[in-house]
Amino acid sequence: KEIYNLGFTKSNFTFLYLVKYFEERFGKKKVIYNKGISDPRSYKVSFKKLENIISIKRKFTINDAINEFINQE
């Protein structure tokens, strides 16, 4: 039995990156980032194990996902 992280290295974003992305995308602060909260966990994961056994390319970007989410209304 083996465990694989499913995803793409180019889609591995930090929370702060996403906050800044949303601020730039929507032109004003929509997210309040509380710098006083310390969370040492890291969600950056490696996809190398998966990339070594299959050859696939990312089909959608973060911008595609945000557009789809916004257009659901």
Side-chain angles (χ1 to χ4, degrees), residues 36-65:
I37 296 175
S38 176
D39 186 351
R41 296 175 292 180
S42 172
Y43 296 100
K44 187 169 185 172
V45 297
S46 173
F47 303 105
K48 289 187 185 283
K49 185 176 176 182
L50 180 67
E51 291 168 355
N52 287 335
I53 63 166
I54 62 174
S55 177
I56 59 173
K57 294 187 179 184
R58 180 178 66 164
K59 190 173 180 179
F60 302 101
T61 65
I62 186 69
N63 200 41
D64 295 328

Side-chain angles (χ1 to χ4, degrees), residues 20-30:
K20 289 181 179 185
Y21 179 89
F22 274 90
E23 288 174 351
E24 289 177 16
R25 172 80 190 269
F26 298 107
K28 55 185 171 181
K29 282 198 168 194
K30 292 279 186 182

